[in-house]
C-alpha cells in the first residue's frame, strides 16, 4: 500500500492517515525519501499529536544484542505505543546475500513477528535508502506493506518553503519565483541553507535586507556545495529525484 501526499508534499494528515491504516491492519509503516525532505520533522509533528506512549529508536541508541527485543517488550507493557525507528537501514540494511549475519536485524524481525493485538504497538520506520533494506524487511508480506514517500519538492512547494524561511528576515526586491525555479532538485533542508547563507552574506556586506542578488549568490553557493558533496560519495550525473528511488 503506497501513500503519496497531494501537491507533491506530505502533510501530517497524510502521515496520520497512513499510521491509522498501519494500526488497523497491524502492519509496520515505512517512511522513505531523500535526506532533508521532512521525514523526521513530520514524525515529530505526529508525536506531538498522538495520545499514547512514544518510543524513538536509532542506531545510536541500539548497539547491543537483546536491546531491540527489550525495547519492544517495554512497548507492549506501555501500550498503546507508537514505535519510531529512525534510519532503519542502519539496523536492517545489511545485504545478507554475501553470507554475513546481522544479529540486530534478526532481533528486529523477531520483534515485528511477535507483536500483540492489532493497534497494540505501531511501528513507523524512516529511511533515506529503501533500496538498502534487507529483503526480509522490504520484500515480505506483513512487513512494511504500508509505505509513504516524501518526494523532492516541486516549484510551488519550493516557493512556499522559501517564503516561510525568508519571513524571518528583512528583505528587499526579492524575486521568489526566479529563485524557486532555479532551485530544482533541492530539498527543504537545502532551501533553508540557501536563506541562511543569504543572511550571512547580507551581514558580511554590511546590509540589513536580503536582496534577490544575494539570494542568487547564495543559491549558487549551495548548489555548488551539493555538487561537491555528491561527488565525494561517488554521485556525478544522476538527477536528484532519481537517486533515492
Amino acid at each position: 500500500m503506497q501513500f503519496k501526499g497531494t501537491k507533491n508534499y506530505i502533510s501530517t494528515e497524510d502521515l496520520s492517515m497512513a499510521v491509522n491504516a498501519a494500526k488497523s491492519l497491524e502492519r509496520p509503516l515505512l517512511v522513505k525519501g531523500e535526506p532533508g525532505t521532512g521525514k523526521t520533522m513530520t514524525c515529530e509533528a505526529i508525536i506531538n499529536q498522538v495520545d499514547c506512549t512514544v518510543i524513538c529508536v536509532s542506531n545510536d541508541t541500539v548497539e547491543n544484542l537483546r536491546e531491540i527485543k527489550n525495547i519492544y517488550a517495554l512497548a507492549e507493557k506501555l501500550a498503546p505505543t507508537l514505535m519510531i525507528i529512525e534510519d532503519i537501514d542502519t539496523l536492517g540494511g545489511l545485504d545478507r546475500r554475501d553470507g554475513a549475519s546481522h544479529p540486530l536485524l534478526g532481533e528486529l524481525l523477531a520483534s515485528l513477528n511477535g507483536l500483540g493485538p492489532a493497534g497494540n504497538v505501531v511501528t513507523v520506520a524512516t529511511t533515506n535508502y529503501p533500496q538498502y533494506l534487507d529483503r526480509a524487511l522490504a520484500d515480505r508480506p506483513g512487513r512494511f506493506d504500508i509505505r509513504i514517500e516524501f518526494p523532492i519538492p516541486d516549484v510551488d512547494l519550493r516557493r512556499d518553503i522559501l517564503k516561510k524561511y525568508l519571513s524571518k528576515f528583512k528583505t528587499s526586491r526579492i524575486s521568489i519565483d526566479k529563485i524557486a525555479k532555479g532551485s530544482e532538485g533541492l530539498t527543504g533542508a537545502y532551501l533553508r541553507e540557501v536563506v541562511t547563507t543569504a543572511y550571512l552574506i547580507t551581514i558580511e556586506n554590511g546590509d540589513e535586507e536580503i536582496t534577490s542578488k544575494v539570494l542568487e549568490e547564495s543559491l549558487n553557493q549551495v548548489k555548488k556545495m551539493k555538487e561537491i558533496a555528491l561527488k565525494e560519495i561517488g554521485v556525478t550525473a544522476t538527477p536528484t529525484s532519481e537517486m533515492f528511488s
Side-chain angles (χ1 to χ4, degrees):
M1 185 181 300
Q2 186 85 3
F3 282 83
K4 288 191 177 182
T6 57
K7 299 182 180 179
N8 203 45
Y9 70 90
I10 302 296
S11 66
T12 55
E13 290 78 12
D14 294 321
L15 188 52
S16 294
M17 180 175 64
V19 169
N20 288 332
K23 179 179 178 181
S24 62
L25 296 174
E26 195 181 353
R27 301 291 175 88
L29 183 150
L30 183 67
V31 180
K32 61 180 183 176
E34 181 179 345
T37 50
K39 300 183 298 298
T40 299
M41 185 184 301
T42 307
C43 284
E44 289 174 351
I46 292 296
I47 289 173
N48 293 326
Q49 296 178 17
V50 296
D51 184 19
C52 67
T53 302
V54 177
I55 298 178
C56 297
V57 179
S58 68
N59 189 45
D60 294 333
T61 59
V62 177
E63 298 178 352
N64 302 315
L65 293 178
R66 297 188 63 83
E67 285 186 345
I68 293 179
K69 180 179 179 180
N70 292 337
I71 289 172
Y72 269 94
L74 177 63
E76 288 279 0
K77 291 180 180 179
L78 300 177
T81 300
L82 175 63
M83 177 81 74
I84 295 181
I85 304 178
E86 283 279 357
D87 299 321
I88 193 174
D89 49 275
T90 62
L91 291 178
L94 183 62
D95 189 344
R96 296 181 296 176
R97 286 175 296 180
D98 60 3
S101 62
H102 196 315
L104 290 180
L105 173 61
E107 276 193 38
L108 178 59
L109 295 175
S111 297
L112 292 175
N113 287 340
L115 292 181
N120 196 31
V121 177
V122 176
T123 299
V124 176
T126 69
T127 180
N128 299 327
Y129 307 101
Q131 68 271 31
Y132 294 156
L133 289 179
D134 189 272
R135 287 192 64 180
L137 284 172
D139 188 23
R140 176 175 169 176
R143 292 177 184 157
F144 299 108
D145 296 329
I146 302 175
R147 304 187 178 197
I148 184 166
E149 181 179 356
F150 278 60
I152 301 294
D154 61 14
V155 64
D156 292 330
L157 182 54
R158 294 198 303 273
R159 184 187 303 109
D160 291 340
I161 293 173
L162 287 168
K163 286 181 178 178
K164 174 186 175 182
Y165 289 126
L166 283 169
S167 66
K168 302 177 182 179
F169 303 98
K170 294 181 179 179
T171 60
S172 175
R173 303 183 301 278
I174 293 293
S175 176
I176 291 290
D177 288 342
K178 184 176 181 181
I179 302 300
K181 291 178 181 179
S183 59
E184 183 177 0
L186 296 188
T187 64
Y190 271 110
L191 293 172
R192 178 174 58 187
E193 185 63 22
V194 169
V195 175
T196 300
T197 301
Y199 176 64
L200 294 176
I201 294 174
T202 299
I203 293 177
E204 291 176 358
N205 293 340
D207 299 324
E208 295 183 354
E209 298 178 329
I210 298 176
T211 64
S212 280
K213 181 179 179 180
V214 169
L215 265 180
E216 289 180 32
E217 179 182 350
S218 172
L219 177 60
N220 290 332
Q221 288 188 18
V222 170
K223 289 169 71 173
K224 184 65 176 179
M225 176 182 68
K226 180 179 176 69
E227 180 182 346
I228 293 174
L230 292 180
K231 284 184 178 180
E232 288 179 348
I233 61 174
V235 179
T236 55
T238 304
T240 304
S241 59
E242 298 177 6
M243 287 172 48
F244 300 86
S245 59

